[in-house]
Amino acid sequence: WNEVSLASTKGTMLGFLAKGMGGALALAVAESKFLQSSSVTDPSGALTLNPLYALVVGVNVVGSSFALLSLGMKVGQARKKYDVPLPKMYAEGDSKEACMFNCVQRGHQQALETYTTFVACSVIGGLRHPATTALLGLVYIIARNKWAEGYATGDPANRYSSSWSKFVWHSLLGVAALSVSAGLGIAKLA
């Protein structure tokens, strides 16, 4: 890496972070203004749940669980199709079949790698911004499926072939930003 390419990478990363988090925070501000959902505690300091929090549970926890189950079933189907027995995580070799299976498996595995962060941030962020969090959850589910479909073509570059695919990261960063906002609200710092 030279200094020019490192600076370019930092600028690109900062822009990506700003898009992912900034959009979510803008929606959260609008939600707070129009739905009056920004309070996390009542006047006595007790934690309160907005009725819209049910959307977070339904979409971000339950809905995303079914999305991951669906991706897992695709791996099971690919195991049979490409003859990759358990407990092997990936197919060995450089054959087209091995590549195809590994791409299906990677689409599921990468979802698992980020899932805990997504759900934890959703559960926390939804305390203060339930509608925005649930919207980001719906976007995450669609984007996650589109991302995996592109990967399953056998060409990893196709992960981003759908215009939805980049929203895997925007929605993840968005719920992370909302969880920080909720934490600040609980601490009465914002």
Side-chain angles (χ1 to χ4, degrees), residues 6-161:
L6 187 57
S8 174
T9 302
K10 284 181 184 176
T12 303
M13 183 59 74
L14 288 175
F16 185 78
L17 289 171
K19 284 180 186 176
M21 295 179 158
L25 291 174
L27 286 171
V29 168
E31 176 183 353
S32 297
K33 296 248 186 254
F34 296 110
L35 299 178
Q36 289 85 38
S37 65
S38 66
S39 180
V40 180
T41 58
D42 66 15
S44 72
L47 189 63
T48 60
L49 286 180
N50 184 305
L52 292 175
Y53 192 77
L55 292 172
V56 174
V57 174
V59 174
N60 297 52
V61 178
V62 177
S64 66
S65 294
F66 281 108
L68 280 179
L69 284 171
S70 171
L71 294 177
M73 287 187 240
K74 290 176 184 176
V75 173
Q77 292 168 346
R79 280 188 184 286
K80 289 178 186 169
K81 182 176 181 179
Y82 300 113
D83 194 29
V84 181
L86 286 168
K88 289 184 180 179
M89 185 90 146
Y90 292 99
E92 297 172 7
D94 293 326
S95 69
K96 178 162 178 61
E97 291 78 16
C99 178
M100 291 297 291
F101 173 78
N102 289 342
C103 284
V104 173
Q105 166 65 1
R106 223 15 237 145
H108 178 247
Q109 183 63 35
Q110 202 286 326
L112 293 173
E113 292 166 3
T114 58
Y115 187 62
T116 305
T117 302
F118 172 76
V119 171
C121 289
S122 293
V123 168
I124 296 166
L127 292 172
R128 189 172 191 186
H129 308 289
T132 303
T133 301
L135 176 64
L136 289 172
L138 183 61
V139 169
Y140 177 87
I141 291 168
I142 295 167
R144 179 54 67 196
N145 278 299
K146 293 296 185 183
W147 194 88
E149 284 173 13
Y151 215 145
T153 64
D155 181 0
N158 286 340
R159 294 170 296 178
Y160 297 102
S161 60

